[in-house]
Amino acid sequence: DQFSWNLFLGACIQNNEFHKAFHHFHQMQTQGLLPNKHTFLHILAACAGHNSISKGKLMHALTLTTGLVSDIVLECALVNMYGKCGDFHNAKMIFDQMPKRDVALWSAIVTACANDGRNEEALHLFHQIYINNLLPDPIAYVAALNSCSNACRSEDGLRIHTELIFFGYEKELQVGTSLVDMYGKFGALVKAQEVFDGLEAKNVVSWNALIAGYSQHELGDKALDCFEKMKLCDSTPDE
């Protein structure tokens, strides 16, 4: 039934088996089962993960024919899909058409904007979250920190860091890694190391951010020292 097919599609997405998700999505329909909201959420995630804008547009069209497109959760998934596939125009168009916007939808458009290199616009949209009487979630904070890094907006970055400490997000892996990356690019390597040391968990991305910070500022010995420590911590170096 729909429920079991959706569970299986979700398993495909969790294991990055995007081709399998597409294949079984079509199999589901050949058996006479219509996709519902949860089916589309999974398959849009597959489109985003596979960076397949053509399949994403097809799924968008299917949501229109099924009448599900007005669902805010599905709209958020569409904004996220278009953003990850590099189509900011369609992501913003969907966002602008929504009469009601929750924090997840705001986070999706801020992330799409930041991924498209529109750093000043991303920070403007990030501030609009407060104006709309909402509080940013960790996803929005990550996008804003990345925009601060790329736009050299150190004052905004420091203010956002203060908020993260207040809300208890500083030690979360993805947020903390973005802070390490930001401070590394600003040359505030003591702060970068401090945030890194405070992370509850570390992965190859967080190690890379710290190593990059030291190497970008010609502290080769520090970068190599971090590289050796990384290997001792069972984090396998990537390319």
Side-chain angles (χ1 to χ4, degrees):
D1 58 12
Q2 277 183 334
F3 181 75
S4 54
W5 274 103
N6 287 341
L7 283 177
F8 186 68
L9 288 172
C12 290
I13 305 307
Q14 288 177 350
N15 288 277
N16 297 323
E17 297 280 359
F18 305 123
H19 282 295
K20 282 186 179 180
F22 296 136
H23 173 72
H24 291 293
F25 175 75
H26 292 301
Q27 271 197 326
M28 173 184 178
Q29 293 175 88
T30 59
Q31 294 191 12
L33 290 169
L34 293 175
N36 61 12
K37 180 179 82 171
H38 300 289
T39 315
F40 281 118
L41 289 175
H42 290 315
I43 209 67
L44 286 169
C47 294
H50 193 251
N51 197 24
S52 178
I53 188 66
S54 58
K55 285 186 173 67
K57 286 182 176 180
L58 176 60
M59 296 307 150
H60 186 183
L62 285 173
T63 63
L64 291 169
T65 60
T66 56
L68 292 169
V69 75
S70 60
D71 185 279
I72 191 170
V73 177
L74 199 53
E75 292 282 10
C76 184
L78 282 166
V79 171
N80 184 57
M81 181 275 294
Y82 278 121
K84 287 188 176 179
C85 291
D87 188 344
F88 179 72
H89 172 75
N90 271 317
K92 188 66 163 59
M93 182 180 67
I94 293 169
F95 176 82
D96 289 340
Q97 291 173 352
M98 287 298 291
K100 185 179 179 182
R101 298 161 185 164
D102 62 6
V103 68
L105 190 59
W106 278 101
S107 296
I109 195 61
V110 173
T111 301
C113 199
N115 289 344
D116 200 50
R118 301 167 183 258
N119 300 303
E120 298 292 342
E121 188 177 351
L123 290 171
H124 171 73
L125 287 168
F126 178 76
H127 293 308
Q128 290 295 311
I129 299 176
Y130 300 103
I131 293 171
N132 284 270
N133 297 316
L134 295 168
L135 288 175
D137 60 10
I139 296 171
Y141 276 119
V142 167
L145 288 170
N146 292 340
S147 292
C148 288
S149 300
N150 295 325
C152 299
R153 296 278 291 270
S154 57
E155 288 186 7
D156 282 337
L158 289 169
R159 180 185 57 76
I160 290 172
H161 187 184
T162 302
E163 291 179 21
L164 290 169
I165 293 171
F166 180 80
F167 290 116
Y169 291 145
E170 182 194 29
K171 295 183 179 181
E172 289 190 7
L173 180 59
Q174 194 174 6
V175 174
T177 297
S178 293
L179 281 168
V180 173
D181 178 70
M182 181 189 75
Y183 281 125
K185 287 177 178 174
F186 291 162
L189 297 169
V190 173
K191 287 293 294 182
Q193 184 71 59
E194 181 182 301
V195 173
F196 178 83
D197 291 340
L199 289 176
E200 294 174 348
K202 301 172 179 67
N203 63 7
V204 64
V205 181
S206 51
W207 279 103
N208 285 347
L210 186 63
I211 292 168
Y214 282 124
S215 63
Q216 286 166 7
H217 295 280
E218 300 181 2
L219 294 170
D221 289 342
K222 285 276 192 180
L224 289 170
D225 182 54
C226 287
F227 180 68
E228 295 303 322
K229 288 179 179 177
M230 174 185 180
K231 292 189 290 184
L232 291 173
C233 292
D234 297 325
S235 288
T236 305
D238 62 8
E239 65 278 6

